[in-house]
Amino acid sequence: MKRLEKLSTLRINPAKSLNFKYKNKKRTGLSGDTVATALYANGIRIFGRSLKYHRPRGLYSLDGESSNTCMQVNGIPNVCAETTLLADGMQVKAQNVAGSPERDLKGFMDKLDWAMPAGFYYRTMHKPAPIWPIALKQVRKAAGLGKISPTFQMPGTYDEIYPRADVCVIGGGPAGMQAALAAAENGLRVILLETRPWLGGFFDYRTVQNSAGESLAQTARQMAQQLDQKTNIRVLKQAAVVGVYNNNLVTAFQKGQGSDYFDERYVEIRATSVVVATGCIERPLLFENNERPGVMQIGCAHRLAHTYGLLPGKQAVFSVGHDLGLEAALDLFDLGLEVTCVADIREDGQDPILLEGLQQRHIPFFRGWVATCAHGTGALNTVTLATTTGTLEKEFACDLLVASAGATPLTGPLSLAQAKLAYEPYTGFFMPQALPANIQVAGRMLGLNHPAAIEASGRLAGILAAADCGASVDSRLKEARENMNQLPGPGPGCKLVTAPVQGRKTFICFDEDTTVKNVKQALAMGFDATELIKRFTAAGTGPGQGGIPGHNLPLLVAQYHGDVTATAMPTTVRVPLVPTYIATYAGTNHDMCKRTPVHASQKAAGGVIRRIGVWKRARYFSKDLSCRTEIENVRTNVGILDASTLGKFRIWGPDALKALQRVYVGDMSNIANGKVKYSAMCNEDACIIDDGVVVKRGENDYYFTTSTARAGATVEWIRYHTRYDGWQFHMVNLTDAFGVINLAGPNARKVLQKVTDADVSDGAFPYAGYREFMIKDAIPVRSMRLGFVGELSFELHVPASYMQSLWDVISKAGKKWGIRNFGLEAQNVLRMEKAHLIIGSESEQRTTLHDVGLGFLWDRNKSGTKTVGAVALRQTENQEGRFKLVGFKMEDPSRPPKDGAIIVDNRIKGYVCIARHSFTLKEPVGLALVEAQLAEEGTRLQIYEDECKGEHIYATVVPTPFYDPEGKRLRM
Amino acid sequence: MAMTLTCPVCGKRNGYEFRYGGEEKGPRPDEADLSPRAWCDYVHMNRCLAGVQEEWWCHKDGCGVWFKTHRDTTTNLEVDKPEAQS
């Protein structure tokens, strides 16, 4: 199709052509085209078929409020062709057609509308009950538009930004732009969000002149330039507002333009004040076959020509209710469109200049007439016009019907911002009754038509928004108000809801093929509230998100009740305002994790890394996942483990001891010099949440450890439980500041002795001791002798920056004995053989200190400390029916039960926490939580494993620890 | 999240930065004569007011302070301390 040239309003670049494919043919469009306009330029008029009746559908609004032009683009279904810019190489396919959009084999469905009245799927296909599964399958195949395979991988880059603004302006038309400029005058930070790829709104494509003699399009472009030059205004184009929340939180999705690094990004703005200037859309005119290809709204016809250089037809009839329709008729006539006649719903009130223009061009003008029926099978060929009462009729041949019932405001963002809307009878608009704090409204959505009034309202709103931010605006505000008062106010709106028709094929919702007849059926069945009708007829529940039924539905229902002003309310609007990809919500797919200082060398040494919470740690250093070599090496030789993830804290200050006493169940006041104290923390239900050791490094100065999982919460926990006391103490989380090496095995001391001059003999550094010394005279170490794995071991805490060096030093020194790395799995088995607790493995949310056999850690005689958990410990220590932690051995020693296997008699009596084959003991052992009456030594336990098909296995409760019960090895 | 809270140290911040710490129930009751039921009620039972309640929040992604504030649970907006008790 040949493009109109030399129009100042064009947004396409005739010099830059783009290739795309549609229906297996290579085609071209221009840079600036949307997929829809590019297809239109290639002669495509039928873009797809509707959901239920498979009616042909085409361009209607150019803003994608319906699914008419939803197409598959580059494999992605349901892409809105009207709002997606054409890109080179795009593969475009039609949806929901059997055959082609022009010749859809399912087109016969249109003749079956009588079988599908409102809500028919609620009342059919389910009796007799057995037919429902069959019906379900067929309905599933027929429902929906696009297709996607379950293995589809969404391409593209998705990002997110969280800019902060003083003023957020929603809408980049003349009012929005003026608001942004006005607010920016105070030096405030302004962000403006605009859905289209350019600013300008409804000025952008209009050549009528304002009072200064320049076209509105020119005015808009100049304003846009002004915004560009302001460094404190940030403009986001192709950004559609999705949600508005409490405290002026505005969310939007922005599509990337060619040069952007993202395909889509999520924008979340916290603004002090918000200006809503979203403008208006056209209220669809309701008449028979109102959605036939060839029927389009005023803006669509006007913009096809002015923005994209495409004349929307050859011979046109206009049926409008707004001066914009008259303006479009004149402009398009001048560009070569034959205009058969213009029918205006309004009896009077038209702009006399426009009427004169029609006269000059000899275009017949019908006052008080409206389209009642569009004719033509695939595309339009005739239109029936009638008086608005329906008495007199005429028919006209045409291939374009420009139809519109008037304007209606885009109230979505305002609704979400909790503004109360009410019907205003003069304009016929839903207007905000009371605005929430720090929200301003401007522009066409207030019913203004005059260009200067629209701009002035924007300026006023911008100044008010600046005042909301605390800027001083008095003189400018006064001037702006005076200016507004001198300009024309809101104009009378066209209130016609439907043409005089029965409504069998008058579509109130294009997405769901809901007709006026369906609405009448619903009303007859007693659904007389708009919200009920919406759901019963499905009107407004499609991808267009109610854009087409919009305000027509509540106005129609209000008309039924006879009193529009009192009862009409738009249906509840919910986030998201526009359809959005799940990929955009998912955002960037960062895998965030923490690594220890020796992560790389662990990996290089053959460590198999796994995630544990937020950390990446080495789980195995063997190909044999039973880790036999690692385990036996620790029992007989010496092994080295990276324990850097251990929680580590310093607490100090005059009341530091009080804070420790509050959260630890033991008595922290008697920690001996040079010794660690092992203790536990419980919650207020006496359930154990953490265990660790505490060291007193100085007067009122303590260093303590926690489990890896609790490290993040510890500071918060301690501060929470001391929040009423007003104590003087400080805490710092040193978890990431210190690395930890666990050197374990009978040869551990020999290795350590090689690298330090300090006396680390058993006499000088006994079990449960704490010492600080230097390694190689250079690395400062805090060392503890603990026994988690049941062998002689030294826990070496070093500042993280020294960790790698210490690792290298010890590894080198240990070569003589064949020192080996061991990982978390080996550590797990080793500590299991000693029945040492891992919180979360041998305990759960309801396991108390007593249940796991650590009741001895609790000092009940501690008084005045209000220790967290003490009350419940006292109350539960003799409670009956509790679980107890026990050790067990298998009757059949060939294999251990699976972790998590349940222990049963005729009911569930407990579960296996961990079980492994022990190489040390040469048989399988495990730990389990069982009901107290099964906890006695010698009890037989019946174990049910997942998928055991009724074959239980058996174990016996035995005393723990299994290995070295007297703890001689630890104390070497 | 849409909510904002006013940290006594850092000022008004996004809701994301905070952790909820439960309704204000006052310090722990005296242990003498405290029945298990009364203790459980103190720990677990909440008033669940539809209206303004006093509650604890932690500025976990900021200064880490625990503080009390009033919030209207029906609008999910922080409010100034009400004149009358709700």
Side-chain angles (χ1 to χ4, degrees):
Chain A
M1 214 176 128
K2 198 169 185 306
R3 305 258 182 169
L4 303 166
E5 290 167 358
K6 297 196 181 72
L7 295 173
S8 62
T9 51
L10 286 178
R11 287 288 186 181
I12 41 120
N13 182 355
K16 189 160 180 239
S17 91
L18 301 169
N19 296 316
F20 69 104
K21 239 182 161 181
Y22 176 65
K23 272 191 173 170
N24 281 320
K25 251 182 84 175
K26 276 213 177 106
R27 302 166 196 264
T28 55
L30 296 175
S31 165
D33 263 336
T34 59
V35 174
T37 58
L39 286 167
Y40 195 89
N42 277 271
I44 308 297
R45 296 292 175 266
I46 302 175
F47 286 65
R49 293 282 175 150
S50 67
L51 177 73
K52 242 180 11 184
Y53 301 144
H54 283 256
R55 289 169 68 88
R57 292 283 167 82
L59 282 185
Y60 184 76
S61 71
L62 268 199
D63 286 312
E65 289 97 347
S66 75
S67 58
N68 278 3
T69 54
C70 274
M71 311 191 82
Q72 187 192 68
V73 176
N74 292 344
I76 301 169
N78 295 344
V79 173
C80 179
E82 289 171 34
T83 58
T84 304
L85 285 176
L86 185 71
D88 203 38
M90 268 183 170
Q91 311 267 344
V92 181
K93 285 201 173 94
Q95 298 184 142
N96 202 38
V97 295
S100 73
E102 286 82 6
R103 246 185 288 282
D104 180 18
L105 296 175
K106 291 207 188 129
F108 69 89
M109 297 286 284
D110 197 21
K111 299 210 171 22
L112 296 177
D113 62 320
W114 56 269
M116 294 184 272
F120 76 96
Y121 28 81
Y122 297 119
R123 301 180 300 149
T124 60
M125 296 187 275
H126 61 92
K127 283 200 199 123
I131 68 163
W132 174 239
I134 306 163
L136 179 67
K137 246 190 177 168
Q138 297 309 313
V139 170
R140 282 249 171 90
K141 277 197 227 160
L145 294 171
K147 279 202 171 66
I148 195 167
S149 94
T151 54
F152 180 76
Q153 296 269 41
M154 188 67 176
T157 314
Y158 301 88
D159 196 29
E160 51 203 50
I161 55 171
Y162 298 82
R164 217 212 158 280
D166 294 310
V167 179
C168 176
V169 180
I170 304 177
M177 287 198 277
Q178 284 297 336
L181 289 168
E185 279 168 24
N186 281 89
L188 296 173
R189 215 152 115 157
V190 180
I191 294 187
L192 185 141
L193 300 167
E194 166 56 47
T195 312
R196 294 195 189 148
W198 49 79
L199 299 178
F202 95 132
F203 276 17
D204 184 65
Y205 57 93
R206 296 176 60 203
T207 48
V208 290
Q209 294 184 340
N210 60 12
S211 48
E214 47 174 33
S215 74
L216 293 181
Q218 251 181 300
T219 311
R221 278 158 175 75
Q222 277 163 13
M223 258 192 266
Q225 262 193 336
Q226 279 184 288
L227 264 92
D228 218 15
Q229 284 160 1
K230 290 285 236 178
T231 50
N232 56 332
I233 302 181
R234 184 174 182 181
V235 175
L236 297 177
K237 297 176 199 163
Q238 288 220 286
V241 166
V242 160
V244 181
Y245 303 88
N246 273 349
N247 288 311
N248 283 345
L249 191 80
V250 177
T251 59
F253 287 131
Q254 185 181 24
K255 294 191 208 190
Q257 312 242 18
S259 54
D260 286 321
Y261 66 92
F262 57 89
D263 289 279
E264 266 208 29
R265 76 177 170 187
Y266 171 74
V267 181
E268 186 179 295
I269 300 166
R270 175 79 68 186
T272 307
S273 94
V274 170
V275 176
V276 180
T278 44
C280 292
I281 49 170
E282 292 173 52
R283 215 160 37 78
L285 185 61
L286 295 173
F287 56 94
E288 294 288 282
N289 300 321
N290 58 326
E291 32 66 85
R292 189 105 297 172
V295 180
M296 56 176 72
Q297 295 188 319
I298 303 168
C300 181
H302 213 167
R303 284 156 60 197
L304 272 173
H306 276 192
T307 308
Y308 298 99
L310 299 164
L311 207 58
K314 293 200 181 64
Q315 189 180 33
V317 169
F318 281 65
S319 175
V320 298
H322 194 281
D323 279 353
L324 285 174
L326 276 55
E327 186 187 310
L330 298 175
D331 283 348
L332 292 169
F333 180 93
D334 293 344
L335 287 171
L337 179 70
E338 204 186 302
V339 180
T340 307
C341 64
V342 173
D344 196 325
I345 299 164
R346 306 169 291 175
E347 293 285 350
D348 50 39
Q350 294 86 355
D351 180 346
I353 301 176
L354 295 172
L355 290 176
E356 210 193 297
L358 289 170
Q359 264 185 359
Q360 282 172 359
R361 292 163 179 76
H362 306 293
I363 299 173
F365 183 66
F366 292 85
R367 291 171 194 276
W369 281 67
V370 69
T372 54
C373 189
H375 309 270
T377 14
L380 184 67
N381 58 32
T382 319
V383 161
T384 307
L385 297 179
T387 50
T388 53
T389 52
T391 324
L392 302 167
E393 275 187 359
K394 280 189 197 205
E395 268 200 19
F396 296 93
C398 60
D399 68 345
L400 170 66
L401 170 61
V402 178
S404 170
T408 197
L410 275 167
T411 49
L414 210 50
S415 276
L416 290 177
Q418 312 287 333
K420 291 275 170 286
L421 297 172
Y423 181 75
E424 194 286 299
Y426 183 65
T427 51
F429 282 14
F430 288 104
M431 301 277 230
Q433 290 307 102
L435 287 175
N438 299 332
I439 305 238
Q440 306 295 340
V441 183
R444 285 183 79 197
M445 49 187 317
L446 293 171
L448 301 167
N449 291 314
H450 193 277
I454 290 169
E455 288 183 46
S457 79
R459 181 166 174 74
L460 176 60
I463 294 171
L464 288 170
D468 287 338
C469 297
S472 66
V473 298
D474 295 326
S475 60
R476 287 189 299 141
L477 182 59
K478 189 157 169 280
E479 197 189 319
R481 281 203 215 273
E482 276 166 11
N483 197 16
M484 267 286 354
N485 289 336
Q486 286 165 3
L487 291 163
C494 170
K495 319 245 188 12
L496 185 88
V497 181
T498 67
V501 292
Q502 283 304 306
R504 182 176 167 192
K505 296 288 181 168
T506 299
F507 288 87
I508 192 165
C509 176
F510 295 176
D511 291 355
E512 301 286 334
D513 278 347
T514 308
T515 60
V516 168
K517 182 176 178 191
N518 292 147
V519 175
K520 292 203 279 192
Q521 285 168 339
L523 287 164
M525 280 191 259
F527 294 96
D528 58 359
T530 313
E531 295 279 7
L532 290 176
I533 295 174
K534 173 183 168 181
R535 283 152 184 80
F536 189 67
T537 64
T541 60
Q545 315 233 164
I548 294 290
H551 295 156
N552 270 343
L553 187 61
L555 288 172
L556 184 62
V557 176
Q559 220 178 35
Y560 175 78
H561 289 294
D563 186 350
V564 182
T565 314
T567 61
M569 271 296 286
T571 51
T572 305
V573 172
R574 292 183 179 87
V575 176
L577 288 175
V578 293
T580 41
Y581 293 137
I582 291 179
T584 313
Y585 276 110
T588 40
N589 205 3
H590 296 314
D591 179 24
M592 298 203 283
C593 62
K594 290 172 80 172
R595 296 177 180 177
T596 71
V598 289
H599 178 87
S601 55
Q602 295 251 286
K603 219 172 157 190
V608 176
I609 311 289
R610 290 281 179 269
R611 276 196 82 127
I612 311 271
V614 302
W615 290 96
K616 290 220 167 155
R617 302 185 70 180
R619 187 157 188 88
Y620 316 97
F621 280 91
S622 325
K623 289 215 172 66
D624 166 17
L625 298 186
S626 76
C627 299
R628 178 174 194 156
T629 325
E630 293 173 49
I631 294 166
E632 289 182 339
N633 180 64
V634 172
R635 288 274 177 250
T636 60
N637 186 18
V638 58
I640 177 172
L641 173 96
D642 172 20
S644 300
T645 63
L646 195 69
K648 309 165 211 69
F649 298 86
R650 181 187 178 204
I651 185 170
W652 76 103
D655 297 316
L657 178 60
K658 291 198 181 110
L660 286 175
Q661 293 285 51
R662 174 64 53 84
V663 296
Y664 276 110
V665 297
D667 187 355
M668 296 293 127
S669 67
N670 57 15
I671 304 177
N673 260 339
K675 288 206 83 157
V676 306
K677 177 151 186 152
Y678 174 64
S679 190
M681 292 192 204
C682 294
N683 63 18
E684 297 284 33
D685 291 320
C687 296
I688 181 171
I689 56 167
D690 201 9
D691 65 341
V693 299
V694 184
V695 167
K696 189 171 179 186
R697 292 187 71 237
E699 199 53 40
N700 293 329
D701 195 344
Y702 300 84
Y703 179 65
F704 66 95
T705 66
T706 69
S707 63
T708 300
R710 281 288 301 182
T714 298
V715 170
E716 214 181 287
W717 179 261
I718 295 179
R719 289 207 179 123
Y720 180 73
H721 285 288
T722 56
R723 66 195 187 283
Y724 292 108
D725 300 280
W727 286 337
Q728 287 290 324
F729 66 91
H730 310 284
M731 292 188 61
V732 63
N733 183 341
L734 296 167
T735 304
D736 298 342
F738 279 83
V740 178
I741 288 182
N742 197 351
L743 187 63
N747 290 330
R749 182 177 286 116
K750 292 180 192 150
V751 177
L752 189 58
Q753 202 70 83
K754 251 185 101 177
V755 297
T756 183
D757 293 331
D759 185 356
V760 294
S761 65
D762 186 45
F765 190 177
Y767 176 68
Y770 174 78
R771 298 287 181 271
E772 293 181 15
F773 49 85
M774 299 294 276
I775 301 276
K776 290 277 189 188
D777 254 338
I779 304 175
V781 141
R782 300 179 184 190
S783 180
M784 309 177 184
R785 268 192 66 186
L786 304 169
F788 191 54
V789 296
E791 299 297 332
L792 166 68
S793 57
F794 296 87
E795 213 173 80
L796 305 168
H797 297 216
V798 284
S801 51
Y802 285 104
M803 178 68 177
Q804 185 64 56
S805 303
L806 182 63
W807 189 273
D808 294 338
V809 159
I810 295 199
S811 302
K812 191 166 168 210
K815 265 206 173 80
K816 180 174 163 192
W817 292 274
I819 191 170
R820 297 179 70 104
N821 290 314
F822 67 105
L824 292 178
E825 176 58 20
Q827 185 194 46
N828 196 16
V829 180
L830 289 162
R831 65 95 201 171
M832 179 202 65
E833 293 168 347
K834 291 289 293 182
H836 286 159
L837 186 82
I838 288 182
I839 310 252
S841 175
E842 284 70 50
S843 76
E844 43 162 64
Q845 289 284 10
R846 51 185 176 161
T847 318
T848 67
L849 198 63
H850 301 299
D851 297 343
V852 295
L854 291 176
F856 66 89
L857 289 176
W858 172 39
D859 189 330
R860 64 175 65 240
N861 295 319
K862 236 176 23 167
S863 66
T865 58
K866 289 200 173 177
T867 300
V868 178
V871 172
L873 281 168
R874 221 179 292 277
Q875 291 177 350
T876 59
E877 64 180 325
N878 295 314
Q879 198 176 37
E880 284 183 3
R882 297 199 64 86
F883 272 18
K884 295 286 169 216
L885 186 64
V886 301
F888 63 85
K889 290 190 176 181
M890 301 305 292
E891 277 184 11
D892 172 5
S894 62
R895 69 170 184 87
K898 299 179 190 167
D899 286 352
I902 52 176
I903 293 162
V904 297
D905 52 26
N906 53 343
R907 295 182 311 124
I908 297 175
K909 295 293 194 180
Y911 64 94
V912 172
C913 302
I914 180 176
R916 293 284 189 278
H917 181 84
S918 163
F919 301 105
T920 316
L921 305 159
K922 297 187 179 32
E923 61 174 326
V925 296
L927 298 169
L929 279 168
V930 293
E931 284 190 10
Q933 69 267 28
L934 294 177
E936 269 203 57
E937 199 187 311
T939 311
R940 193 185 197 220
L941 301 174
Q942 188 175 357
I943 300 173
Y944 178 103
E945 289 174 305
D946 203 21
E947 291 172 357
C948 70
K949 296 197 177 67
E951 276 194 41
H952 302 153
I953 53 179
Y954 296 89
T956 319
V957 176
V958 297
T960 55
F962 309 99
Y963 169 75
D964 183 27
E966 281 153 44
K968 292 203 177 101
R969 310 276 298 176
L970 309 167
R971 292 173 167 78
M972 272 169 66
Chain B
M1 62 187 83
M3 211 178 118
T4 58
L5 285 165
T6 310
C7 170
V9 175
C10 308
K12 188 172 168 199
R13 310 287 301 182
N14 269 330
Y16 291 116
E17 299 180 13
F18 298 89
R19 187 199 307 285
Y20 180 61
E23 297 175 9
E24 159 66 309
K25 298 181 194 174
R28 210 165 88 169
D30 241 337
E31 220 188 308
D33 300 325
L34 190 66
S35 69
R37 171 156 295 245
W39 176 241
C40 182
D41 284 351
Y42 170 77
V43 175
H44 294 292
M45 287 304 285
N46 294 306
R47 291 168 70 201
C48 298
L49 290 176
V52 177
Q53 72 176 19
E54 195 180 17
E55 51 188 34
W56 287 91
W57 286 89
C58 173
H59 195 191
K60 66 174 169 68
D61 284 344
C63 63
V65 74
W66 278 99
F67 62 98
K68 281 193 291 188
T69 187
H70 289 86
R71 178 176 62 97
D72 185 338
T73 57
T74 58
T75 59
N76 203 32
L77 292 169
E78 196 183 18
V79 298
D80 292 326
K81 186 181 167 121
E83 300 299 302
Q85 288 297 311
S86 54

